[in-house]
C-alpha cells in the first residue's frame, strides 16, 4: 500500500481539492508524506486522515463492497436464528418486532463505523481507529488488536456448517462422519485461501456470485411461500400449508413479555446483524471509498433487515407456529420439507445452507486477511516484511496464511460444542473494542474538531451503543435465580477467557515495549520503508538510548540507522 490517494474520497470537484485535515492543524504537505527523492519516507498516525490505495489497486466497486458486507451479515444463521427467537418470545408479532428493533440498534454501531471509516479512510477497521485515538500508552492499542486478530481471528463455524450440509446433500449423516465433516471444512478453508491468495479477481468474482445466489435463494423462499399460500399447493399427502394469513390480534397471541427472555432474544437478533463494518477492513481496495462506504453499508443494513423480516414471514406462512416453537433452530428444515416434500426439501435446504456458509467464509477471509496484512505492516508480527508483501500474486497471501492456520486448528478440535464457545469468546473482547471506539469517537469530536468528517454519527446513537456495549460486558456476571456457583462459572467462562486473551496482550505489550527496552537500554523506534512491490511498511528497530538524538516535536531518531 504505497500511494496516498486524495482523489479516492469523492467524485465532486470541490472534494478533490479539499484536504481531509484542515490547514490549521498541520504544515506538513502531501508530498512530504509520500515517498520522494527530496526527503525521507514517513508513516505517522496523522497520515491516516489521507486515503491510501492498495498496491493491487482499487478493484472493489459498489456491488463488491455491498456483497462483502451483506454476505458477512446474512450467513447460514438465517436458516436457524429466526426459529430460535420465535421459540423464545412465543409470538409472530413480537418476533418480527425484535428484528426491526435489532436493525435500529445495529444502525447505532454502524454510524460509529461510518464516521471513523470516512474520517480515516484506511484498511484495517478498528485497528486504524483505535491506534489513531489511543496513542498512549505507545503500541498498546496496536498490540491488543494484533493479539485478538491472530489468536481469535479465525473462521471455523461456517466451514463446519458447510461440511455438515454438504454431507446432508450427498445423503450421508454428518453426526456419524465427523472426520469427513472436518475434511470438507478444511478443504473449503484451504481452497478459499488459495483462490484469494493466487487469483485475486477470480476470488472477488466468486464471492460476488455466491452472495447474489444467497440473496436469490432468500427471495425465492419468500416468493414460493406466497405462491403456496395463494394456490394451496401441497407437495405430498403428509404435508399441508397454513390456512392463509393470520389476523392482527392472532399474531400477538402467546407473547412472552418477560424482559429477561426478550433481552436474550434481542441479543441474538443483534448478533445476526454483526458484520456491517466488514468493508472497513478493505477500504484501500474500494473505488471511491468514502462514498461507497456510506451508501453500501447503509444499503446492506436496510437489505438485511428486509431479508430477515421477509424470511420470518415466509416461515410463518408455511410452518404452523406450534411447530416453529417446538422445532426452534430446525425451522428451515420444516419450511423446505413442507414446500418441496421430505426428500426434495432436505436437498434444497442442504444446498441453501452450504452456499450461504461458503459465501460467508469467502468474505470473512477476504476482509480478515487485509486486517492481518495491516498488522504486519505495522511491524507487530514476526517476518513482518514477508507477511506484508503482496507478492507474488498481487494479493495479501501472508495475511491469508495467518488466518488459515488458526482456522484449521480450531476446525480439527474434536470437541463438538467448542465452536459456539469460541464464537462467544471472540465476541466478548469485540464488545470492549466497540465500547472503546464509541468513547474515542466522542473524545475526538471534542479534542479534534479540525478533522474532516464526511459522515457524522448521531451522538445519541453513539451513547446508546456505549450503553449497550457496557450491558453486554456486564451481563455474563449477573447471577440468575437458583443458579449454583458452578453453573454460573460455566456460563461466564467465555467472558473470562476473552478477558484473559486481552490480559495476555497487555502482558505481551508490557514485556516487549516496556521491560525489555528498559533492561536492554534501548528504545523501539518506527522507521518507514518500502518493499519491492511498493507496499509501505514500518520497521521497529532497537535504538540504543545513548545514540538517540532529540528532534523537533519530541520525536527521536537514530541517525546511524538511515
Amino acid at each position: 500500500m504505497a500511494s496516498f490517494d486524495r482523489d479516492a474520497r469523492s467524485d465532486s470537484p470541490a472534494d478533490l481539492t479539499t484536504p481531509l485535515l484542515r490547514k490549521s492543524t498541520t504544515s506538513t504537505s502531501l508530498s512530504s508524506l509520500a515517498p520522494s527523492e527530496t526527503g525521507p519516507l514517513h508513516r505517522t498516525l496523522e497520515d491516516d486522515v489521507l486515503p491510501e490505495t492498495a498496491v493491487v489497486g482499487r478493484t472493489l466497486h459498489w456491488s463488491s463492497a455491498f456483497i462483502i458486507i451483506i454476505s458477512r451479515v446474512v450467513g447460514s444463521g438465517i436458516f436457524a436464528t429466526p426459529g430460535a427467537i420465535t421459540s423464545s418470545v412465543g409470538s409472530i408479532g413480537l418476533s418480527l418486532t425484535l428484528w426491526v428493533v435489532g436493525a435500529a440498534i445495529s444502525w447505532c454501531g454502524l454510524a460509529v463505523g461510518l464516521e471513523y471509516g470516512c474520517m480515516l479512510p484506511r484498511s484495517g477497521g478498528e485497528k486504524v481507529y483505535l491506534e489513531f485515538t489511543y496513542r498512549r500508552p505507545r503500541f498498546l492499542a496496536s498490540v491488543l488488536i494484533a493479539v485478538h486478530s491472530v489468536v481469535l481471528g479465525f473462521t471455523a463455524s461456517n466451514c463446519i456448517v458447510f461440511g455438515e450440509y454438504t454431507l446432508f446433500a450427498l445423503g450421508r449423516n454428518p453426526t456419524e462422519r465427523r472426520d469427513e465433516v472436518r475434511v470438507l471444512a478444511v478443504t473449503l478453508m484451504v481452497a478459499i485461501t488459495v483462490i484469494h491468495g493466487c487469483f485475486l479477481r477470480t476470488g472477488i468474482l466468486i464471492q460476488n456470485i455466491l452472495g447474489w445466489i444467497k440473496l436469490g435463494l432468500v427471495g425465492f423462499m419468500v416468493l414460493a411461500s406466497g405462491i403456496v399460500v395463494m394456490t394451496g399447493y401441497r407437495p405430498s399427502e403428509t404435508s399441508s400449508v397454513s390456512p392463509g394469513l393470520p389476523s392482527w390480534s392472532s399474531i400477538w397471541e402467546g407473547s412472552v413479555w418477560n424482559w429477561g427472555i426478550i433481552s436474550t432474544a434481542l441479543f441474538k437478533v443483534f448478533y445476526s446483524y454483526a458484520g456491517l463494518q466488514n468493508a472497513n477492513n478493505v477500504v484501500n481496495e474500494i473505488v471511491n471509498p468514502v462514498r461507497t462506504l456510506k451508501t453500501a453499508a447503509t444499503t446492506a443494513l436496510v437489505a438485511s433487515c428486509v431479508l430477515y423480516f421477509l424470511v420470518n414471514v415466509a416461515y410463518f406462512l408455511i410452518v404452523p407456529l406450534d411447530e416453529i416453537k417446538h422445532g426452534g433452530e430446525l425451522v428451515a428444515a420444516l419450511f423446505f420439507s413442507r414446500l418441496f416434500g421430505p426428500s426434495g426439501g432436505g436437498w434444497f435446504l442442504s444446498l441453501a445452507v452450504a452456499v450461504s456458509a461458503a459465501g460467508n467464509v469467502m468474505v470473512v477471509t477476504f476482509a480478515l486477511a487485509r486486517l492481518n496484512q495491516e498488522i504486519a505492516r505495522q511491524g507487530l508480527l514476526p517476518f513482518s516484511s514477508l507477511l506484508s508483501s503482496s507478492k507474488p500474486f498481487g494479493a495479501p497471501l501472508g495475511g491469508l496464511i495467518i488466518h488459515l492456520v488458526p482456522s484449521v486448528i480450531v476446525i480439527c478440535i474434536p470437541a463438538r460444542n467448542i465452536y459456539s464457545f469460541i464464537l462467544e469468546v471472540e465476541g466478548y473482547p469485540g464488545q470492549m473494542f466497540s465500547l472503546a471506539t464509541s468513547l474515542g469517537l466522542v473524545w475526538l469530536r471534542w479534542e479534534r474538531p479540525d478533522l474532516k468528517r464526511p459522515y457524522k454519527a448521531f451522538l445519541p446513537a453513539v451513547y446508546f451503543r456505549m450503553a449497550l456495549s457496557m450491558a453486554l460486558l456486564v451481563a455474563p456476571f449477573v447471577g440468575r435465580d437458583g443458579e449454583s456457583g458452578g453453573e454460573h462459572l460455566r456460563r461466564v467462562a467465555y467472558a473470562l477467557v476473552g478477558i484473559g486473551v486481552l490480559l495476555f496482550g497487555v502482558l505481551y505489550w508490557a514485556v516487549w515495549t516496556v521491560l525489555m527496552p528498559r533492561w536492554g537500554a534501548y528504545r523501539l523506534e518506527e522507521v518507514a520503508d518500502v518493499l519491492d512491490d511498493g507496499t509501505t511498511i514500518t520497521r521497529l528497530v532497537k535504538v540504543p538510548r545513548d545514540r538517540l538524538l532529540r528532534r523537533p516535536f519530541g520525536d527521536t531518531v537514530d541517525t546511524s540507522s538511515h
Side-chain angles (χ1 to χ4, degrees), residues 58-76:
R58 296 189 180 274
T59 59
L60 302 176
H61 294 271
W62 191 95
S63 60
S64 297
F66 172 76
I67 289 297
I68 285 175
I69 302 170
I70 196 77
S71 288
R72 172 66 179 86
V73 176
V74 183
S76 57

Side-chain angles (χ1 to χ4, degrees), residues 161-415:
V161 169
F162 172 82
E164 290 175 339
Y165 281 90
T166 299
L167 287 183
F168 266 130
L170 296 175
R172 298 170 179 263
N173 187 346
T175 58
E176 299 175 355
R177 302 172 181 270
R178 301 307 300 177
D179 291 339
E180 293 182 18
V181 170
R182 293 189 184 93
V183 169
L184 288 172
V186 171
T187 300
L188 175 68
M189 192 69 249
V190 172
I192 289 176
T193 299
V194 172
I195 291 172
H196 278 325
C198 303
F199 310 98
L200 176 64
R201 294 184 182 275
T202 301
I204 294 173
L205 176 62
I206 292 174
Q207 69 185 18
N208 286 349
I209 291 174
L210 290 177
W212 289 114
I213 289 176
K214 181 195 302 186
L215 298 181
L217 286 172
V218 174
F220 172 76
M221 290 170 59
V222 175
L223 181 63
S225 63
I227 294 175
V228 167
V229 169
M230 289 187 292
T231 61
Y233 167 75
R234 290 173 171 78
S236 66
E237 297 180 358
T238 59
S239 65
S240 60
V241 297
S242 301
L245 298 172
S247 64
W248 172 259
S249 59
S250 65
I251 67 173
W252 299 100
E253 293 178 358
S255 298
V256 180
W257 299 104
N258 177 282
W259 174 243
I261 294 176
I262 291 176
S263 62
T264 301
L266 191 58
F267 288 155
K268 292 180 181 178
V269 172
F270 180 67
Y271 284 127
S272 296
Y273 287 104
L276 289 168
Q277 299 182 37
N278 201 39
N280 291 50
N281 289 318
V282 298
V283 172
N284 289 4
E285 298 179 42
I286 296 177
V287 177
N288 300 316
V290 172
R291 186 184 66 182
T292 301
L293 203 61
K294 289 191 292 184
T295 56
T298 304
T299 304
L301 173 60
V302 174
S304 59
C305 177
V306 171
L307 289 175
Y308 280 130
F309 190 91
L310 292 179
V311 164
N312 274 273
V313 170
Y315 290 151
F316 295 137
L317 288 176
I318 300 300
V319 184
L321 184 59
D322 288 340
E323 290 189 24
I324 294 178
K325 290 180 179 179
H326 289 93
E329 294 184 354
L330 298 176
V331 61
L334 298 172
F335 174 85
F336 286 114
S337 179
R338 284 179 166 271
L339 205 59
F340 301 109
S343 58
W347 181 86
F348 198 94
L349 170 65
S350 301
L351 174 64
V353 175
V355 168
S356 295
N360 182 271
V361 173
M362 285 207 74
V363 298
V364 171
T365 300
F366 185 88
L368 290 183
R370 272 68 184 170
L371 174 58
N372 291 333
Q373 186 182 39
E374 292 303 311
I375 293 172
R377 288 181 65 202
Q378 202 66 28
L380 300 174
L381 298 176
F383 312 106
S384 287
S385 298
L386 178 63
L387 297 175
S388 301
S389 176
S390 294
K391 284 186 174 182
F393 303 108
L397 187 57
L400 288 163
I401 293 174
I402 295 173
H403 178 257
L404 172 67
V405 173
S407 298
V408 171
I409 292 174
V410 173
I411 290 172
C412 294
I413 294 177

Side-chain angles (χ1 to χ4, degrees), residues 453-513:
R453 292 175 170 86
Y455 180 96
K456 293 188 73 172
F458 185 50
L459 279 181
V462 180
Y463 296 140
F464 180 82
R465 191 204 191 199
M466 290 164 54
L468 179 63
S469 295
M470 288 187 285
L472 291 173
L473 291 172
V474 173
F477 300 98
V478 178
R480 298 177 180 175
D481 294 338
E483 186 178 48
S484 65
E487 292 173 339
H488 188 206
L489 182 61
R490 285 192 294 271
R491 187 166 59 84
V492 303
Y494 74 91
L496 296 176
V497 174
I499 293 173
V501 171
L502 293 183
L503 289 178
F504 169 76
V506 173
L507 178 63
Y508 178 80
W509 165 82
V511 172
W512 177 51
T513 69

